[in-house]
C-alpha cells in the first residue's frame, strides 16, 4: 500500500532524512519511533505530498506522490503534528468544509460529520469555535478531519499527544479498530503505545532507518536477552556460582545484597532462552529457599535506547 | 468546481467572522462617502450660485453633474481601492502559511487553481459589497441632479475590472510570504507603481510613453469614466488579473517542485 524507496530530503544542505526505505502492506499499522529531529514528520510530509523529496520515490495506494499527487491525496487522511485548524470556524462547519473538499457526496456530508464527531467524542463541542477549544479537543478535531472521508490510508503524526488518559485509551483503540481495512502510519514518542497499536515498528534516528520489525521480533533480532530476577536464601557465593552454571546463562548479578541470607540476583540469558525452571531446580538442588522468580522482559524502550545509542548488547 | 465552491464559502465565512472585512468595508465607505459629500456639496453650492449669477454659469460651462461629481468620485474610489484592497488580500495565503493550515489545505485533494480561484472569488465578493455600498450615493445624485447613467454603469464596470486586477495581484503577493504585513506592503507598492507609471509616461516620450501608458492602471480607466467600454481596456485588466492568478498558481506549485 505504501512503498518508500531510498527517500532522501535535505533542507538546503541540512539533513532531513537520508535514504529511507520501507513498505507497508494493506491493512497494516506501522509505528514510527525516533527521538526529536529523527525525521518522522519529514517522512510523513513527503508521503502526504506536502513537500517533495530531494531524491528517491514513494508510492501510496499505487500512486507516486510526486507524479500523481492529487490521486494520492484523495486516498489519505493526514493529521499533522501541529494540528493546524481554522480557529475562526465552528467544529461542525469546519468538518463539513473538509468533508466537502475530500469529495464526500453532498448528501452524506452532514451525516458523516455527525458520525465522526461522535466517534472522537466531540458532539458536546458542536457549538464552539475551534479557537476556543482546549489542546486535547483540537487534537480530536484534527483526528476527525483526517477520518471524515473514511480514507484507506491514514498518516497520523503523534495522534495521542495532549489527550487525557481516558481519551488516549479511546483513541488508541479507535486507531487499532481502524486497522485491518485501512493502512495506518503513526508516529509517537510513547513506546508502549507504539508496541501496543502497531504491528510493525520502524526505528529511525538522525534521518536513517535503524530497524524495522514487529515489536516481538525486534527484541529477538537484537538478541534481547531475557532477564530473570530471583531472590534466593542461601550463601551468596555458592548461590551465585550455582546459578552461573545453568545452561544459557550469560551473566549473574547480585542486585540486592541484604547482608543477610536472602539476596536478590539478576540472571541474563542469551538468545531469549527462558530458564526460569532451571533456576527453580538449582535452588531445590542446593536446598535453598526460593522467594521470588520474576521474568524481566526487555521493553521496547530499552531496545530503542540501545539502538539509537548503538550500544552492543 | 465543487472545491472552488467550498473554498469560496469558507473564505466568505472567515471574512465575515473576522473584523477585517468589516473594518475594510467600513473605512472604504467612510472615505469615499466623505469625499462624495464634499464634491457633491461643492457642486450644489456652485450650481445654486450659478442660478443667480449667469456669469459664473458660463465660466463653468454647462454645469454637468457627471463631469463634476461622478467622474472625480470614481477617481477617488480607485485610489481608496488601491489602499484598501491589499488589506483584504494580504491574509489570503500568508495567514494560512503562518498558522500552518496550508499544510492541511495542500494535502487535501484540491487543485492549486481551485484554491486560488476560491480565494480570489471570496475577495471579489467582499469588494463587490464595498462597491455596492457606494450605489446609494449615485441614487442621491439622481434625486438632485441628472447624471448620465451610462457613465455610471461603465464606471462601475471599469472599477470592478480594476479591482479584480488589484485583488489578483494582492493574492499573488500573499502567496509569496507568510508575513501579512510584507504581503500588504508588496501589493501596495506594486499597485502604486502601476498607478504612477501613467503620470510619468509623458516624460519618457516615444514608444516608451505608449508602453508606460498602456501599463498603467488609471490610463485604462479613462474610457470607462467617459462611458466608453473599449475592449483593449477590458483586455488589459483581464490580462493583469489572469497573469497574477497564473503566477499565484506557480507560486503554490513551487512548494511541490523538487529542490
Ligand atoms: N522546515 C525545515 N527547515 C529546515 N530543517 C528542517 C525543517 N523541518 C525539519 N527540519 C530538520 O529535519 C530534521 C528532521 O525533522 P523532523 O521534524 O522530521 O523530526 P521528527 O522526527 O518529526 O522530530 P519530533 O519528534 O521532534 O517531531 C531535523 O533535523 C530538523 O531540524
Ligand atoms: Mg515530528
Amino acid at each position: 500500500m505504501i512503498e518508500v524507496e531510498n527517500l532522501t530530503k535535505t533542507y538546503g544542505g541540512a539533513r532531513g532524512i537520508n535514504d529511507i526505505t520501507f513498505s507497508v502492506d494493506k491493512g497494516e499499522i506501522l509505528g514510527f519511533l525516533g527521538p526529536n529531529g529523527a525525521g518522522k514528520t519529514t517522512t510523513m510530509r513527503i508521503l502526504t505530498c506536502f513537500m517533495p523529496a530531494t531524491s528517491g520515490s514513494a508510492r501510496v495506494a499505487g500512486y507516486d506522490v510526486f507524479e500523481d499527487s492529487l490521486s494520492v491525496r484523495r486516498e489519505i487522511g493526514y493529521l499533522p503534528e501541529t494540528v493546524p485548524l481554522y480557529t475562526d470556524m465552528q467544529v461542525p462547519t469546519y468538518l463539513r468544509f473538509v468533508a466537502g473538499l475530500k469529495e464526500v457526496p453532498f448528501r452524506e456530508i452532514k451525516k458523516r460529520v455527525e458520525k465522526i464527531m461522535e466517534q472522537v467524542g466531540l458532539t458536546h463541542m458542536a457549538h464552539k469555535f475551534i479557537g476556543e477549544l482546549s489542546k486535547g479537543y483540537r487534537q480530536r478535531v484534527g483526528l476527525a478531519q483526517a477520518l471524515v472521508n473514511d480514507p484507506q490510508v491514514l498518516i497520523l503524526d503523534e495522534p495521542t499527544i495532549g489527550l487525557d488518559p481516558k481519551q488516549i485509551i479511546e483513541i488508541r483503540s479507535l486507531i487499532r479498530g481502524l486497522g485491518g481495512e485501512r493502512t495506518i502510519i503513526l508516529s509517537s514518542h510513547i513506546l508502549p503505545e507504539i508496541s501496543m497499536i502497531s504491528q510493525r515498528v520502524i526505528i529511525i534516528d538522525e534521518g536513517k532507518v535503524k530497524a524495522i520489525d514487529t515489536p516481538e521480533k525486534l527484541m529477538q533480532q537484537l538478541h534481547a536477552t531475557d532477564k530473570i530476577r530471583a531472590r534466593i536464601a542461601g550463601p551468596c557465593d555458592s548461590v551465585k556460582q550455582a546459578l552461573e552454571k545453568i545452561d544459557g546463562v550469560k551473566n549473574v548479578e547480585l542486585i540486592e545484597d541484604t547482608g543477610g541470607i536472602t539476596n536478590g540476583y539478576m540472571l541474563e540469558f542469551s538468545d531469549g532462552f527462558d530458564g526460569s525452571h532451571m533456576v527453580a531446580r538449582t535452588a531445590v538442588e542446593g536446598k535453598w529457599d526460593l522467594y521470588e522468580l520474576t521474568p524481566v522482559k526487555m521493553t521496547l524502550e530499552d531496545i530503542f535506547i540501545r539502538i539509537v545509542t548503538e550500544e552492543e548488547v | 468546481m465543487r472545491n472552488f465552491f467550498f473554498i469560496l464559502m469558507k473564505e466568505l465565512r472567515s471574512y465575515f467572522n473576522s473584523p477585517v472585512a468589516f473594518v475594510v468595508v467600513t473605512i472604504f465607505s467612510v472615505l469615499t462617502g466623505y469625499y462624495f459629500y464634499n464634491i457633491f456639496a461643492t457642486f450644489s453650492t456652485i450650481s445654486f450660485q450659478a442660478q443667480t449669477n449667469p456669469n459664473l454659469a458660463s465660466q463653468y460651462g454647462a454645469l454637468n453633474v457627471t463631469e463634476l461629481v461622478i467622474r472625480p468620485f470614481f477617481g477617488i474610489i480607485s485610489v481608496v481601492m488601491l489602499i484598501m484592497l491589499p488589506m483584504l488580500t494580504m491574509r489570503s495565503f500568508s495567514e494560512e502559511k503562518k498558522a500552518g493550515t496550508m499544510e492541511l489545505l495542500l494535502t487535501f485533494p484540491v487543485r492549486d487553481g481551485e484554491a486560488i480561484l476560491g480565494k480570489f472569488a471570496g475577495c471579489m465578493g467582499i469588494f463587490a459589497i464595498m462597491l455596492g455600498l457606494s450605489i446609494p450615493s449615485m441614487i442621491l445624485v439622481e434625486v438632485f441632479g441628472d447624471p448620465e447613467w451610462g457613465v455610471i454603469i461603465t464606471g462601475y464596470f471599469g472599477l470592478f475590472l480594476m479591482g479584480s486586477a488589484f485583488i489578483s495581484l494582492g493574492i499573488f503577493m500573499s502567496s509569496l510570504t507568510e508575513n501579512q504585513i510584507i504581503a500588504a506592503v508588496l501589493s501596495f507598492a506594486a499597485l502604486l507603481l502601476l498607478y504612477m507609471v501613467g503620470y510619468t509616461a509623458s516624460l519618457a516620450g516615444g514608444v516608451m510613453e505608449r508602453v508606460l501608458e498602456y501599463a498603467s492602471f488609471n490610463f485604462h480607466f479613462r474610457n470607462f469614466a467617459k462611458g466608453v467600454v473599449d475592449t483593449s481596456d477590458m483586455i488589459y485588466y483581464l490580462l493583469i488579473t489572469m497573469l497574477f492568478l497564473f503566477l499565484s498558481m506557480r507560486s503554490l506549485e513551487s512548494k511541490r517542485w523538487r529542490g
Side-chain angles (χ1 to χ4, degrees), chain A residues 118-191:
Chain A
E118 205 180 301
Q119 219 172 353
V120 300
L122 270 173
T123 313
H124 58 298
M125 291 289 160
H127 58 285
K128 293 244 190 180
F129 283 92
I130 293 174
E132 302 168 345
L133 295 180
S134 68
K135 164 84 178 114
Y137 277 100
R138 279 186 215 197
Q139 191 77 18
R140 297 187 203 192
V141 178
L143 210 56
Q145 67 75 28
L147 293 169
V148 76
N149 63 328
D150 210 356
Q152 345 177 20
V153 177
L154 277 172
I155 297 184
L156 311 172
D157 204 348
E158 301 185 20
T160 56
I161 209 158
L163 298 176
D164 61 48
K166 182 168 160 281
Q167 189 64 24
I168 286 182
I169 294 168
E170 278 174 35
I171 295 295
R172 276 181 197 160
S173 65
L174 175 71
I175 294 173
R176 226 175 346 188
L178 291 170
E181 289 162 61
R182 284 167 210 77
T183 311
I184 304 176
I185 297 188
L186 77 153
S187 72
S188 171
H189 292 121
I190 310 170
L191 310 175

Side-chain angles (χ1 to χ4, degrees), chain B residues 114-128:
Chain B
E114 293 168 334
I116 290 164
L117 284 180
K119 284 178 181 282
F120 174 74
C123 281
M124 288 300 280
I126 304 293
F127 170 57

Side-chain angles (χ1 to χ4, degrees), chain B residues 39-91:
Chain B
I39 39 175
F40 197 48
T42 312
F43 175 78
S44 309
T45 317
I46 292 170
S47 52
F48 183 74
Q49 286 171 351
Q51 280 174 357
T52 54
N53 186 345
N55 273 345
L56 198 69
S58 61
Q59 199 180 334
Y60 276 87
L63 277 178
N64 184 334
V65 71
T66 311
E67 194 72 40
L68 291 178
V69 177
I70 307 287
R71 215 162 284 162
F73 183 53
F74 282 147
I76 206 70
I77 287 185
S78 70
V79 172
V80 179
M81 266 162 56
L82 184 90
I83 299 163
M84 299 314 282
L85 287 184
M87 308 290 159
L88 209 57
T89 53
M90 66 180 186
R91 60 172 282 282

Side-chain angles (χ1 to χ4, degrees), chain A residues 45 48-50 52-54 56 66 70 73 78 84-86 88 93-94 97 100-104 106 145, chain B residues 2-3 6-7 10 13-14 17 96 99-101 103-111 255-259:
Chain A
R45 283 180 163 174
T48 53
C49 311
F50 175 61
T54 311
F66 186 67
L70 205 61
R73 286 182 278 151
Y78 176 37
L85 304 167
Y86 298 106
D88 58 358
T93 320
Y94 172 70
F97 165 66
L101 292 184
K102 288 189 168 184
E103 301 173 351
V104 175
F106 266 115
Q145 67 75 28
Chain B
R2 208 185 113 113
N3 289 342
F6 278 107
I7 292 181
K10 183 225 136 219
R13 190 177 289 112
S14 69
N17 279 347
E96 298 232 19
T101 48
E103 182 168 356
L104 270 180
L105 189 64
L106 288 181
T107 55
F108 290 152
V110 178
R111 287 189 176 81
K255 305 280 175 316
R256 296 208 178 91
W257 292 343
R258 283 183 188 240

Side-chain angles (χ1 to χ4, degrees), chain A residues 45-272:
Chain A
R45 283 180 163 174
I46 295 169
L47 289 178
T48 53
C49 311
F50 175 61
M51 62 186 187
T54 311
S55 67
S57 73
R59 296 173 74 77
V60 176
Y63 306 105
D64 188 282
V65 293
F66 186 67
E67 304 291 336
D68 209 350
S69 122
L70 205 61
S71 308
V72 171
R73 286 182 278 151
R74 281 203 182 95
E75 306 296 339
I76 55 172
Y78 176 37
L79 172 67
E81 188 172 23
T82 52
V83 199
L85 304 167
Y86 298 106
T87 48
D88 58 358
M89 287 172 99
Q90 278 173 310
V91 178
T93 320
Y94 172 70
L95 291 175
R96 283 200 292 270
F97 165 66
V98 177
L101 292 184
K102 288 189 168 184
E103 301 173 351
V104 175
F106 266 115
R107 262 180 247 148
E108 287 171 33
I109 290 180
K110 201 163 172 285
K111 227 170 56 204
R112 277 295 309 167
V113 167
E114 273 167 19
K115 191 170 150 230
I116 207 76
M117 283 179 58
E118 205 180 301
Q119 219 172 353
V120 300
L122 270 173
T123 313
H124 58 298
M125 291 289 160
H127 58 285
K128 293 244 190 180
F129 283 92
I130 293 174
E132 302 168 345
L133 295 180
S134 68
K135 164 84 178 114
Y137 277 100
R138 279 186 215 197
Q139 191 77 18
R140 297 187 203 192
V141 178
L143 210 56
Q145 67 75 28
L147 293 169
V148 76
N149 63 328
D150 210 356
Q152 345 177 20
V153 177
L154 277 172
I155 297 184
L156 311 172
D157 204 348
E158 301 185 20
T160 56
I161 209 158
L163 298 176
D164 61 48
K166 182 168 160 281
Q167 189 64 24
I168 286 182
I169 294 168
E170 278 174 35
I171 295 295
R172 276 181 197 160
S173 65
L174 175 71
I175 294 173
R176 226 175 346 188
L178 291 170
E181 289 162 61
R182 284 167 210 77
T183 311
I184 304 176
I185 297 188
L186 77 153
S187 72
S188 171
H189 292 121
I190 310 170
L191 310 175
E193 172 173 289
I194 285 275
S195 58
M196 197 189 300
I197 303 178
S198 39
Q199 283 130 28
R200 274 197 310 149
V201 179
I202 291 198
I203 298 182
I204 52 176
D205 184 36
E206 297 185 346
K208 288 208 179 74
V209 176
K210 297 282 166 162
I212 314 181
D213 222 320
T214 60
E216 299 82 29
K217 282 241 190 70
L218 214 51
M219 295 188 200
Q220 291 177 10
Q221 183 190 321
L222 290 154
H223 351 271
T225 41
D226 278 316
K227 292 182 180 176
I228 290 174
R229 194 171 62 221
R231 282 203 312 144
I232 297 171
C236 201
D237 288 342
S238 34
V239 171
K240 198 166 177 228
Q241 263 174 25
L243 289 176
E244 274 165 354
K245 283 197 194 106
I246 298 174
D247 269 352
V249 166
K250 253 177 80 179
N251 188 27
V252 179
E253 200 184 334
L254 186 65
I255 51 164
E256 204 186 325
D257 192 357
T258 54
I261 193 91
T262 312
N263 293 314
Y265 305 87
M266 182 69 85
L267 288 87
E268 213 176 298
F269 290 87
S270 51
D271 305 327

Side-chain angles (χ1 to χ4, degrees), chain B residues 12-257:
Chain B
L12 287 177
R13 190 177 289 112
S14 69
Y15 273 123
F16 287 119
N17 279 347
S18 83
V20 175
F22 179 76
V23 169
V24 168
V25 170
T26 308
I27 290 179
F28 180 86
S29 301
V30 168
L31 288 179
T32 55
Y34 174 74
Y35 185 80
F36 173 78
Y37 170 77
N38 273 325
I39 39 175
F40 197 48
T42 312
F43 175 78
S44 309
T45 317
I46 292 170
S47 52
F48 183 74
Q49 286 171 351
Q51 280 174 357
T52 54
N53 186 345
N55 273 345
L56 198 69
S58 61
Q59 199 180 334
Y60 276 87
L63 277 178
N64 184 334
V65 71
T66 311
E67 194 72 40
L68 291 178
V69 177
I70 307 287
R71 215 162 284 162
F73 183 53
F74 282 147
I76 206 70
I77 287 185
S78 70
V79 172
V80 179
M81 266 162 56
L82 184 90
I83 299 163
M84 299 314 282
L85 287 184
M87 308 290 159
L88 209 57
T89 53
M90 66 180 186
R91 60 172 282 282
S92 56
F93 282 108
S94 305
E95 191 181 46
E96 298 232 19
K97 286 187 178 191
K98 191 85 171 185
T101 48
M102 199 75 170
E103 182 168 356
L104 270 180
L105 189 64
L106 288 181
T107 55
F108 290 152
V110 178
R111 287 189 176 81
D112 297 340
E114 293 168 334
I116 290 164
L117 284 180
K119 284 178 181 282
F120 174 74
C123 281
M124 288 300 280
I126 304 293
F127 170 57
I129 293 172
M130 279 159 73
L131 274 189
L133 287 176
S134 69
I135 289 177
S137 308
M138 298 294 111
I139 290 167
L140 211 64
V141 178
E142 170 66 25
V143 172
F144 292 101
D146 185 23
E148 293 171 42
W149 276 94
V151 173
I152 293 179
I153 288 166
T154 58
Y156 271 106
F157 182 55
L159 285 176
F160 195 72
L161 285 177
M162 194 196 272
S164 87
F166 286 12
I167 286 172
S168 114
L169 185 144
I171 286 180
F172 169 65
M173 295 303 176
S174 174
S175 78
L176 296 177
T177 168
E178 59 166 46
N179 187 317
Q180 295 195 35
I181 307 291
I182 292 179
V185 170
L186 283 179
S187 338
F188 182 64
L191 292 178
L192 202 59
L193 191 71
L194 280 171
Y195 210 87
M196 289 189 313
V197 286
Y199 296 118
T200 55
S202 55
L203 297 174
V207 183
M208 210 48 209
E209 181 176 350
R210 310 240 117 238
V211 172
L212 289 180
E213 261 187 351
Y214 191 81
S216 88
F217 272 128
N218 47 346
F219 172 78
H220 292 277
F221 188 68
R222 287 204 294 231
N223 282 331
F224 287 109
K226 284 184 202 142
V228 178
V229 179
D230 190 326
T231 33
S232 91
D233 298 328
M234 267 173 67
I235 286 172
Y236 167 80
Y237 288 126
L238 291 178
L239 268 184
I240 297 272
T241 305
M242 279 175 352
L243 171 72
F244 283 105
L245 289 179
F246 174 77
L247 289 177
S248 311
M249 227 157 106
R250 294 265 107 174
S251 159
L252 283 204
E253 259 176 32
S254 69
K255 305 280 175 316
R256 296 208 178 91
W257 292 343

Side-chain angles (χ1 to χ4, degrees), chain A residues 9-12 14-17 32-45 50-51 81 157-158 187-189 204 206-207:
Chain A
K9 168 87 193 171
T10 52
Y11 292 102
R15 173 194 60 76
I17 52 172
F32 258 50
L33 206 53
N36 289 134
K40 305 181 291 293
T41 302
T42 304
T43 313
M44 290 185 164
R45 283 180 163 174
F50 175 61
M51 62 186 187
E81 188 172 23
D157 204 348
E158 301 185 20
S187 72
S188 171
H189 292 121
I204 52 176
E206 297 185 346

